[in-house]
Amino acid sequence: MADPHSDPDHLAFIHLHHVQLAIPEGGEEACRAFWGDTLGMHELAKPSELAARGGCWFRSGGVEVHLGVERDFAPALKAHPGILVARIDDVAARLTAAGVKVTWDDAFPGHRRFYADDPFGNRLEFLQPLG
């Protein structure tokens, strides 16, 4: 296999830095409750030039989620991040305890997975490889 850094036909993607989800104006506290309190992610300080736009950012392990304010907000019902987790039952339990509906789906070979919505109706997928 060619070295991706020296192969001109390979763009050398490394990994996904973050995913951004839209939220309505004023939704930051609901994001902090969901991403921070319920899911246990750590809020990141936004750079000052971006902080004025509203929204908030969270990170846990190798996952970073940016929540950005969109004036004419509509939730993403089909498009979604697929978040790989180590303890899927624990994630599902935390969401369920917070009143979030968890919908299990066994149609992705080699993985256990479920869907849930954030406080604004954005679709989220959580996956854990089998074995």
Side-chain angles (χ1 to χ4, degrees), residues 28-131:
E28 290 85 356
E29 288 309 311
C31 288
R32 289 181 178 103
F34 182 80
W35 294 98
D37 298 339
T38 300
L39 291 176
M41 296 181 83
H42 302 285
E43 186 169 359
L44 304 173
K46 290 180 67 172
S48 58
E49 58 273 10
L50 298 176
R53 299 178 186 175
C56 41
W57 297 355
F58 293 87
R59 179 186 301 145
S60 181
V63 175
E64 191 166 314
V65 179
H66 294 184
L67 295 307
V69 173
E70 190 171 289
R71 254 185 242 127
D72 297 323
F73 171 77
L77 303 176
K78 182 69 172 172
H80 62 275
I83 302 170
L84 196 62
V85 298
R87 297 187 322 268
I88 198 163
D89 292 315
D90 292 345
V91 175
R94 288 183 79 157
L95 289 167
T96 300
V100 177
K101 181 183 176 193
V102 168
T103 304
W104 290 93
D105 180 357
D106 61 359
F108 194 83
H111 293 79
R112 292 184 64 218
R113 74 174 177 171
F114 68 83
Y115 293 98
D117 290 343
D118 76 0
F120 313 108
N122 290 310
R123 185 179 193 196
L124 307 171
E125 178 179 356
F126 296 89
L127 308 99
Q128 180 177 352
L130 293 172

